[in-house]
Amino acid sequence: MKIVVLVKQVPDSGADRNLRSDDNTVDRASASNVINEMDEYAIEEALRLQEAHGGEVVILTVGPDRATESIRKALSMGPDSAVHVVDDALHGSCAVATSKVLAAAIAQQGADLVICGAESTDGRVQVLPHMIAERLGIAALTGARKLTVDGTSLTIERQTDEGYEVVTASTPALVSVWDTINDPRYPSFKGIMAAKKKPLQTLSLGDLGIAAGEVGFDGATSTVVEHSKRPPRQAGNKIDAGDDGGSKLVEYLASEKFV
Amino acid sequence: MAEVLVVVEASQGVAKKVTLEMLTLARTLGDVSAVVLGGSAAALADKLGEFGASKIYAAEGEDLDGYLVAGKATVLAALIQRVSPAAVLLASSQEGKEIAGRVAVKLDNGLLTDVVALDADGVGTQVVFAGSTIVKSKVSKGLPIVTVRPNSLTPTPAPATPSVEQVEVALTDKDKLAKVVERKVEAKGARPELAEASIVVSGGRGVGSADNFKLVEELADLLGGAVGASRAAVDSGFYPHQFQVGQTGKTVSPQLYVALGISGAIQHRAGMQTSKTIIAVNKDAEAPIFELADFGVVGDLFKVVPQAAEEIRKRK
Ligand SMILES: Cc1cc2nc3c(=O)[nH]c(=O)nc-3n(C[C@H](O)[C@H](O)[C@H](O)COP(=O)(O)OP(=O)(O)OC[C@H]3O[C@@H](n4cnc5c(N)ncnc54)[C@H](O)[C@@H]3O)c2cc1C
């Protein structure tokens, strides 16, 4: 089984993040960039499947040059190789266009199974998995908290607002995972050294048969009109609990008409 | 007036609050038609009419209910092509976003997700990066397909008597690849749903154990609110994941958010920053949660919360 894991480099969600004032895109140059956290769970899940069933694990990233750091980090966890789609024309791409590029690269790889994080911490858009599956005409099992593979048949469990549901499909398919699915491993020293020598193939849009005008700002299906910093919340009244902290809390609730 | 489609989100035969919010929003944009994908439209008709739907498109059947969203997207895309609406609104839920994503690809159309406001020109407002940045954006290719974040506006009734049109469900094998074999409903009692609740009481690592979460639940019930949890509380097994608030959990925007034993890490704030009023109880006076709390109590939650509960009971 060939498993392709989608990995996105994102600005660290624990640090200050900004949009650029010149072109309204995510400011990646001044941010500290990391692997989208949810993608580490996707990598872990792929490695566990490989350990149980054999096969190959390939990392796939669409992103600027500097995403190479995140790709090497992903490889240090254990995957066999990586594909990096990098092209200046991609800058400014919307989700619809990005899904086109990812779908083309997945198709070229001939993946049996695609695993990705349920969402990225920068966009939090959550639409890519179904967009890709729609383009490839394969099943999408999204939001998995548990994945079982038996030959070509896949079963996931996913959380719903009411409880959970169990969903099945056959390969080829795409599975997106939440952070409840496993505990990702830390790269070992050996893994970090090995990652430096693992094959990393770089592809341009041309290699995927996609024209520059279909992506980036030219091909964007939505645009940012303007953006601004939200004024930070102001701290209000802070009291010491003393002996009657609970009563004071309720007094406040009453003054705001919550009780 | 132009027709605006609202894709109905319902739970166990009842329209969710976000559906009523979308109907209210849609009325500012045009003539409102509700689209029911799966389930039963008849059970929902009264409520949809009460909030201003003048028409209901009903697409029903096992082919939609028994599979994940692909078929619903096929039906919606066909409907959009047939009626050429001025805009399409869906809920910013997992399912709403998934349907929107597929429809956008099918129609090669842009989409906006997680909007909290949408004006008549189709410009949507989004709050991103842990609530730090406000973005205004619009669809530049095709019609506005927009997912609306729950609790973004107050739903108001505007009674109409909707006509119901059955919509043909013509699917292919590609729409039936992901089959739902089991749906498990876990009893959650009478509490409102987290994303839609107007009051949320959340507990963090400071709550200390699963058993102690009863304290959080008690306060939530007294206030008629939902229960939330920080990731540290979820990871420690104190409370189930579906109640996690934050960057990798639910985004909530209630009238009142009460944080008990939560430090206020940026990833937690990402999910509750836009709450109207925030109250925090934390024994560490330096905890960052106090930076955004309208009212903060520095103290031991195990003393403060039972006392507050007692006081509320007295007042009732
Ligand atoms: C990519 C990423 C995504 C994340 N997503 C989320 C997310 O979705 N949601 C989320 O919440 N976090 C998320 N986190 C984790 C986040 O960074 C914090 O680790 C987490 O929010 C901490 O939870 P906490 O406040 O409950 O625990 P802590 O930070 O440990 O705080 C516990 C607090 O309880 C107080 N306390 C202890 N005992 C008492 C007592 N008896 N009375 C009163 N106060 C007491 C302490 O003073 C302390 O302030 C994410 C992190 C990353 C890297």
Side-chain angles (χ1 to χ4, degrees), chain A residues 13 37 121, chain B residues 203-207 229-233 244-249 261-268 281-284 287 299-302:
Chain A
S13 65
E37 206 217 17
T121 54
Chain B
R205 199 199 308 272
V207 174
S230 74
R231 176 160 170 179
Q244 182 176 315
V245 172
Q247 175 80 55
T248 45
I262 292 176
S263 62
I266 191 164
Q267 293 93 354
H268 186 78
V281 179
N282 196 304
K283 67 180 182 192
D284 173 10
D300 184 354
L301 73 91
F302 296 106

Side-chain angles (χ1 to χ4, degrees), chain B residues 99-124:
Chain B
I99 296 173
R102 282 191 181 258
V103 169
V105 166
K106 283 178 194 288
L107 303 178
D108 196 17
N109 193 105
L111 87 163
L112 304 180
T113 55
D114 282 308
V115 313
V116 295
L118 183 68
D119 72 16
D121 300 325
V123 175

Side-chain angles (χ1 to χ4, degrees), chain A residues 4-128:
Chain A
V4 169
V5 183
L6 309 185
V7 170
K8 182 184 187 186
Q9 189 182 50
V10 297
D12 187 351
S13 65
D16 201 26
R17 291 173 292 175
N18 296 292
L19 292 177
R20 278 165 56 162
S21 53
D22 55 349
D23 67 4
N24 299 332
T25 63
V26 176
D27 186 349
R28 299 180 195 280
S30 72
S32 80
N33 295 296
V34 297
I35 293 183
N36 174 44
E37 206 217 17
M38 216 76 85
D39 301 345
E40 295 181 16
Y41 297 80
I43 299 169
E44 177 64 36
E45 202 57 23
L47 293 173
R48 289 183 188 192
L49 288 176
Q50 186 185 36
E51 281 154 16
H53 306 280
E56 185 188 352
V57 177
V58 180
I59 298 293
L60 170 61
T61 293
V62 172
D65 278 329
R66 77 175 70 85
T68 315
E69 301 154 32
S70 293
I71 295 172
R72 289 289 175 203
K73 173 135 192 273
L75 287 172
S76 71
M77 287 175 72
D80 301 295
S81 63
V83 176
H84 184 184
V85 183
V86 49
D87 199 309
D88 288 343
L90 283 165
H91 185 66
S93 294
C94 64
V96 178
T98 305
S99 73
K100 185 183 280 183
V101 179
L102 282 165
I106 291 164
Q108 200 179 66
Q109 286 295 312
D112 300 299
L113 180 60
V114 181
I115 308 185
C116 60
E119 66 177 25
S120 63
T121 54
D122 56 350
R124 301 202 64 185
V125 178
Q126 234 182 86
V127 295
L128 252 303

Side-chain angles (χ1 to χ4, degrees), chain A residues 11-19 26-27 37-38 41 95-96 99-100 119-127 129-143 145 155-156 158-170 178-180 219-231 233-254 256 258-259, chain B residues 10-12 16 68-69 73 93-95 97-98 101-102 104-106 108-114 123 127-141 174 177-186 188 193 199 223 231 241-242 244 246-251 255-256 266-267 270 272-279 281 285-286 290-300 304 307-309 311-312 315:
Chain A
D12 187 351
S13 65
D16 201 26
R17 291 173 292 175
N18 296 292
L19 292 177
V26 176
D27 186 349
E37 206 217 17
M38 216 76 85
Y41 297 80
V96 178
S99 73
K100 185 183 280 183
E119 66 177 25
S120 63
T121 54
D122 56 350
R124 301 202 64 185
V125 178
Q126 234 182 86
V127 295
H130 273 277
M131 285 183 162
I132 293 167
E134 175 72 34
R135 288 186 187 278
L136 295 171
I138 62 174
L141 302 178
T142 41
R145 67 176 187 190
T155 304
I156 66 150
R158 68 177 206 160
Q159 192 91 62
T160 62
D161 285 331
E162 288 85 26
Y164 68 89
E165 47 195 26
V166 180
V167 192
T168 61
S170 303
W178 278 113
D179 50 1
T180 34
T221 59
S222 56
T223 52
V224 172
V225 181
E226 61 178 55
H227 61 87
S228 55
K229 279 286 184 190
R230 207 162 148 268
R233 286 186 82 104
Q234 299 299 316
N237 198 7
K238 186 165 78 175
I239 62 153
D240 249 325
D243 289 331
D244 58 352
S247 308
K248 287 197 181 127
L249 196 158
V250 177
E251 269 164 38
Y252 178 78
L253 287 173
E256 297 289 314
F258 288 115
V259 290
Chain B
S11 172
Q12 291 160 44
K16 288 195 180 182
L68 291 192
V69 302
S93 58
Q94 172 158 301
E95 174 158 309
K97 285 178 163 187
E98 291 179 350
R102 282 191 181 258
V105 166
K106 283 178 194 288
D108 196 17
N109 193 105
L111 87 163
L112 304 180
T113 55
D114 282 308
V123 175
V127 184
V128 304
F129 293 160
S132 69
T133 305
I134 296 173
V135 179
K136 294 202 171 184
S137 46
K138 67 185 294 182
V139 168
S140 51
K141 185 166 189 200
K174 291 251 184 290
L177 295 173
K179 186 173 169 53
V180 179
V181 291
E182 191 187 342
R183 274 206 179 90
K184 184 109 177 134
V185 175
E186 286 163 345
K188 65 162 195 260
E193 197 181 293
I199 296 183
L223 294 169
R231 176 160 170 179
H241 180 256
Q242 68 260 42
Q244 182 176 315
Q247 175 80 55
T248 45
K250 293 255 158 59
T251 300
Q255 295 296 311
L256 172 65
I266 191 164
Q267 293 93 354
M272 43 71 75
Q273 186 99 272
T274 56
S275 305
K276 191 126 192 297
T277 299
I278 296 173
I279 294 181
V281 179
E286 305 302 319
F290 288 124
E291 289 162 18
L292 59 159
D294 299 286
F295 188 76
V297 180
V298 181
D300 184 354
V304 174
Q307 191 181 63
E311 183 65 32
I312 296 171
R315 288 177 186 237

